[in-house]
Amino acid sequence: MKFYIKREIFANTLSDYTLILKDNPVKPILAGLKIEVKDRKIIFIGTNLESTLIKTVEGDIKREGTVIVKPQLILEYVKLLDDEEIEVSLSENNLKVHQAEFVTLSDEGYPKIKEMVPLEITKTDKDIFTGSLEKCKFSAHPLPENLALNCVRILFRNKFTEFVSTDSYRLTYLKEDIPCSLEKEFSVPLESVNAMIKLLKEASSDIAIGFSDNMLILLWEGSYFTTRTTELPFPDFKGILAYNGFDKTMEFNTNEFKSALKKVMTVAKTSNETKYGAVFDFKNKNLVIKTFSGKGKITQKVNMLKEGEDFKGSLNTKFLLEFLNNISNNIMVRGTNASSMFEISEYGNKDYRYILMPLALRS
């Protein structure tokens, strides 16, 4: 095997595979990247059995062949090179890249990877799709042990697409103008969501989204990505979103609110009682945010417009700030009492909503 490839293309391709190829003590071969040179094409294949990425790139092919290597060390080396084009060749049990050699892996036990022909659901702008995932994924349960919640639920509808995530303490809902030819619902594991976002950031074209059985499939310029979806039931979020018993509405300047929250968090994050917790006192035309810990206390005031009676509630400041980081217009907060859920949204945007459960803190 021997080919010449542009250094930038080689580095970007290797970098993509570090997102899904990790050391696997049970099946070490899954840490390997397969490179096939055939039919005047250079094909990269990597899988962890949950996600698979196949990329086809251009190069100057001299000899066909196949090799399996770990990409991480090769990537570090390639990044240090100045040459615009580099030579890659296979010599006995080593892969020679420019002036360095890297140990290859035996192909024994490497899974047979075959591209599935998907049923297409939609074609969309990759920035809209990845932006929707980023605006939703932060409220998914962070640990894979909770499979039912460690995901983003994507609901492909006829005229739009919905994105939902929850960790049971909060819920994020986003409706995006992505029409679909088929109606399907999938829970995509958070690890796969993060990989898709990073992979698609470098893409320069629209993407096609489809499925085969329980696999979600994404296609874009020379790339094929599949991920297994979670089949466990997702919580019934529609009933939560349908609640309309809020009798208090507050409006804030988002930048002013964020500035106050960041200051409060410096103390709130040191609390042993409830990390990131603070008391929010909605009174007259001001919101007063207070928190204390064994290391300090802080009070911040924020101007507001309010409809309804004064009331207090305790919220997680970190959770609140994560939503504020995704909006630019004024923030709207709706509530009922200190023990009921809050709804947070962006002014003039009913398609992006955040449900946040209160904390039980002493005021």
Side-chain angles (χ1 to χ4, degrees), residues 50 136-154 164-168 170 186-194 227-235:
E50 297 298 317
C136 192
K137 73 184 183 73
F138 63 87
S139 61
H141 197 288
L143 302 178
E145 287 78 7
N146 193 333
L147 289 175
L149 302 182
N150 180 239
C151 63
V152 173
R153 185 75 170 174
I154 306 177
V164 190
S165 69
T166 181
D167 59 6
S168 76
R170 52 183 173 160
F186 298 97
S187 292
V188 184
L190 185 59
E191 184 177 11
S192 296
V193 168
N194 289 328
T227 176
R228 192 180 306 278
T229 56
T230 301
E231 297 185 341
L232 294 173
F234 192 78

Side-chain angles (χ1 to χ4, degrees), residues 3-33:
F3 62 88
Y4 292 87
I5 187 172
K6 289 186 177 180
R7 186 194 62 81
E8 184 178 0
I9 292 177
F10 196 31
N12 289 341
T13 302
L14 293 173
S15 180
D16 286 344
Y17 283 94
T18 61
L19 298 173
I20 62 173
L21 299 181
K22 313 292 182 183
D23 286 334
N24 189 317
V26 178
K27 200 167 184 178
I29 190 62
L30 292 180
L33 168 63

Side-chain angles (χ1 to χ4, degrees), residues 16-117:
D16 286 344
Y17 283 94
T18 61
L19 298 173
I20 62 173
L21 299 181
K22 313 292 182 183
D23 286 334
N24 189 317
V26 178
K27 200 167 184 178
I29 190 62
L30 292 180
L33 168 63
K34 190 174 187 178
I35 306 175
E36 291 185 347
V37 181
K38 63 179 183 179
D39 300 330
R40 305 191 65 80
K41 297 178 181 178
I42 306 171
I43 305 169
F44 295 81
I45 303 171
T47 184
N48 58 22
L49 298 185
E50 297 298 317
S51 299
T52 296
L53 176 64
I54 302 176
K55 294 182 72 73
T56 302
V57 303
E58 295 182 352
D60 183 9
I61 296 172
K62 300 301 182 182
R63 288 195 305 270
E64 296 186 346
T66 302
V67 67
I68 299 177
V69 291
K70 289 188 175 182
Q72 288 82 0
L73 186 58
I74 301 175
L75 174 61
E76 290 183 27
Y77 174 70
V78 171
K79 284 181 176 179
L80 297 174
L81 300 178
D82 296 323
D83 304 60
E84 184 177 340
E85 190 173 65
I86 58 178
E87 177 185 320
V88 180
S89 61
L90 181 60
S91 176
E92 296 182 353
N93 293 323
N94 293 319
L95 183 70
K96 186 176 180 181
V97 179
H98 193 55
Q99 297 177 355
E101 294 186 359
F102 300 91
V103 175
T104 62
L105 304 177
S106 168
D107 63 358
E108 183 178 353
Y110 193 83
K112 293 182 178 180
I113 306 299
K114 184 178 180 181
E115 291 191 28
M116 295 175 285
V117 178

